[in-house]
């Protein structure tokens, strides 16, 4: 074993070499990166429809999802999904793989130094036996990064890792939105099922009345048949929504990745105030630029940009170095006591590409084409983000008017139905008017349920497309 003093001697001899190698080179050949500017991003800033909704200037990506979602049942289900969803696990594993790949590439920035102790004992023709010992530390074939090739490769992997990390955030935001929408779909279909059962009960009562009046000679068989139509229609809806509820539960459990306790499932659609907080829009262009999927596209672009530096560096000479320093002695003890003589080797080698059949030119052309491709992908990601936000805001601007109108329609249709039934039972009006009023009321209530669901889905969608509360989440350190 080499003692501490010997290690210091070896370290002192190699330190100047290692320091020079680390400081070699001052720049890379990659193009300077500048963020792409797209005018379309700012066109939402002065939207009158948005301002009329009273949205604040706070950014949605600054609001944690647990603060946005108010219902404790839904937050618990989302927490289960974030821990158990298999698709998300795959994405997070990809992030760890990218991080490990980056660390492997980063290690090439530094010399790899090995320490060894060897001994040799031999006998010559003179029958004299000689013994020698050596302790040495050194590096082998370390490429000095004169033109930034290794640093560009390091940047390529670092940006790929950061892109995967942002993609994982985007996947988490998407999963939160999918869970919330699946939970709301289950709640809405349970409401539809309850409405169908209620309508079937009322239709059954109407059937009983018309059958009795038929026996008394007041109503005709047409009235009885008409009463049966609404009853059988509601019965069909009961069967349909019973299936839908079961399928909704299956879909929700698949997203979560494990069985869901019954007490966390909704029984009906909650109102928007008890389920979700108001969505802060924050209509600055930075909202779109900080979306995880947009950031992922930008990191991928930066990775492609760094690849151009790698391709350019291939045209220039590469300098590699093998160097060792150590101690030698005929007596092993002299190495440990400091009485040995010094030994060293220094073997630089320079390689200059002369003829490669156009491989370097083709590789550079490929890297530049990839950079152009990912620039277009980045700009498209921004345009897609703008389109999604614009669509969500357009729906947000009119959904409350639709809710108010449909709530008024349900109120009017219910009053019309009550009056029509009363007039029918009093012999003032025909059953056909009562039947039509019941159909209108049933359809109006169905439509109101769907619109309430659409309102809640729109709030969730707007929160998601504006960043979803994870864009500012601290990243793990990329080093080490």
């Amino acid at each position: 074993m080499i003692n501490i003093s010997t290690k210091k001697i070896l370290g002192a001899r190699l330190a100047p070499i290692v320091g020079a190698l680390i400081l070699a080179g001052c720049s890379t050949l990659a193009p300077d990166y500048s963020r792409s500017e797209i005018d379309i991003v700012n066109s939402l800033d002065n939207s009158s429809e948005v301002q009329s909704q009273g949205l604040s200037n706070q950014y949605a990506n600054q609001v944690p999802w647990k603060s946005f979602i108010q219902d404790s049942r839904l937050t618990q289900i989302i927490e289960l999904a974030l821990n158990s969803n298999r698709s998300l696990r795959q994405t997070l594993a990809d992030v760890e793989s990218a991080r490990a790949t980056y660390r492997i590439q980063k290690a090439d920035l530094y010399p790899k130094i090995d320490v060894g102790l060897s001994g040799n004992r031999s006998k010559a023709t003179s029958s004299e036996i000689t013994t020698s010992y050596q302790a040495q530390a050194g590096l082998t074939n370390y490429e000095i990064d004169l033109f930034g090739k290794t640093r560009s490769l390091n940047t390529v992997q670092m940006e790929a890792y950061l892109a995967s990390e942002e993609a994982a955030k985007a996947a988490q935001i998407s999963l939160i939105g999918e869970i919330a929408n699946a939970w709301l779909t289950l709640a809405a279909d349970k409401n539809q099922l309850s409405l169908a059962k209620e309508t079937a009960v009322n239709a059954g009562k109407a059937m009983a009345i018309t059958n009795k009046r038929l026996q008394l000679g007041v109503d005709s068989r047409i009235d009885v048949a008409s009463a049966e139509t609404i009853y059988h229609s509601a019965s069909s809806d009961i069967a349909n929504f019973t299936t839908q509820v079961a399928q909704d539960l299956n879909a929700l459990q698949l997203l979560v990745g494990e069985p869901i306790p019954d007490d966390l499932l909704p029984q009906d659609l909650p109102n928007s105030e008890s389920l979700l907080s108001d969505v802060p829009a924050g209509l600055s262009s930075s909202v779109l630029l900080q979306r995880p999927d947009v950031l992922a596209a930008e990191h991928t672009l930066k990775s492609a940009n760094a690849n151009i530096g790698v391709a350019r560096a291939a045209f220039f000479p590469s300098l590699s170095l093998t160097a060792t320093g150590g101690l030698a002695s005929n007596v092993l003890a002299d190495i440990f006591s400091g009485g040995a003589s010094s030994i060293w080797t220094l073997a630089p080698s320079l390689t200059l590409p002369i003829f490669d059949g156009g491989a370097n030119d083709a590789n550079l052309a490929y890297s530049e084409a990839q950079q152009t491709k990912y620039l277009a992908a980045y700009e498209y990601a921004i345009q897609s983000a703008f389109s999604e936000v614009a669509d969500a805001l357009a729906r947000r601007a009119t959904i409350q008017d639709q809710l108010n109108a449909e709530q008024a329609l349900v109120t009017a249709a219910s009053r019309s139905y009550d009056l029509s039934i009363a007039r029918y039972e009093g012999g003032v009006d025909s059953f056909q008017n009562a039947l039509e009023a019941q159909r209108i009321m049933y359809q109006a209530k169905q439509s109101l349920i769907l619109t309430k669901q659409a309102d809640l889905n729109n709030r969730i969608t707007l929160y998601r497309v504006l960043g979803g509360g994870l864009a500012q989440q601290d990243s793990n350190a990329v080093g080490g």
Side-chain angles (χ1 to χ4, degrees), residues 67-144:
S67 299
F68 171 64
I69 296 176
Q70 303 290 315
D71 194 296
S72 61
R73 297 171 299 173
L74 182 52
T75 57
Q76 290 180 65
I77 289 178
I78 291 174
E79 286 179 333
L80 290 175
L82 292 176
N83 290 324
S84 301
N85 180 270
R86 299 310 190 270
S87 179
L88 184 59
R89 284 184 183 180
Q90 294 178 47
T91 301
L92 295 177
D94 287 339
V95 175
E96 290 304 310
S97 298
R99 183 170 186 264
T101 301
Y102 164 67
R103 293 172 63 191
I104 293 170
Q105 181 60 55
K106 184 180 179 182
D108 286 344
L109 289 172
Y110 306 98
K112 297 174 180 61
I113 300 175
D114 298 318
V115 177
L117 177 64
S118 62
N120 180 57
R121 188 175 178 86
S122 63
K123 180 180 179 181
T125 55
S126 61
S127 300
E128 181 182 352
I129 297 176
T130 60
T131 303
S132 64
Y133 298 94
Q134 289 185 358
Q136 59 185 18
L139 52 93
T140 303
N141 292 328
Y142 172 69
E143 183 174 348
I144 300 175

Side-chain angles (χ1 to χ4, degrees), residues 298-361:
E298 184 175 19
H299 285 304
T300 301
L301 172 60
K302 289 179 178 179
S303 179
N305 200 65
N307 252 329
I308 295 178
V310 177
R312 286 176 175 175
F315 288 91
F316 294 88
S318 61
L319 176 63
S320 61
L321 180 67
T322 296
T324 61
L327 302 168
S329 172
N330 292 332
V331 180
L332 183 60
D334 288 346
I335 294 179
F336 300 114
S337 63
S341 59
S342 299
I343 60 172
W344 59 270
T345 63
L346 184 63
S349 63
L350 184 67
T351 303
L352 177 65
I354 299 298
F355 177 74
D356 61 5
N360 284 339
D361 288 321

